[in-house]
Amino acid sequence: MSKFILWGSYCENALEKRQPYRQAHLDGLAKQKESGVLVTLGPTEDNTQVFGIYEAEDEATVRQLIENDPYWKNGIWTEYEVKAWIQAF
């Protein structure tokens, strides 16, 4: 298993626009957390970016999880980048 970080951007007015998709988004994240693939995920304080840490077999798995999230499918997340990460400490 390898660790990956996610950096992404939110659309404008994300707090309002996310409402119809929020519960499905949170339910999906809870399942990912339960399975051990999601370490942590959340927005920056100003709600303009999202940061996450995943532990998965490969980058493709992480990208699939992101692209199947209701926030990505409905334009709440507007772009993202995934990088392999080495946890030094």
Side-chain angles (χ1 to χ4, degrees):
M1 296 289 252
S2 299
K3 289 195 174 157
F4 298 89
I5 58 167
L6 155 72
W7 270 113
S9 297
Y10 282 96
C11 66
E12 288 189 36
N13 301 316
L15 293 178
E16 296 166 15
K17 292 178 180 176
R18 73 181 183 182
Q19 287 307 323
Y21 318 107
R22 185 156 171 72
Q23 193 59 54
H25 167 71
L26 293 174
D27 290 348
L29 294 177
K31 287 178 185 173
Q32 292 174 29
K33 183 80 170 161
E34 235 174 68
S35 75
V37 71
L38 179 62
V39 177
T40 191
L41 187 135
T44 55
E45 190 172 311
D46 64 1
N47 290 296
T48 61
Q49 294 188 302
V50 59
F51 173 77
I53 301 174
Y54 292 83
E55 191 164 359
E57 289 291 326
D58 53 33
E59 184 177 327
T61 300
V62 176
R63 289 185 178 279
Q64 182 179 8
L65 291 169
I66 293 165
E67 292 178 10
N68 283 319
D69 189 285
Y71 279 14
W72 179 257
K73 288 183 169 185
N74 293 285
I76 307 305
W77 290 339
T78 57
E79 60 184 0
Y80 74 89
E81 187 174 3
V82 173
K83 297 271 188 180
W85 180 55
I86 299 168
Q87 184 175 1
F89 292 97

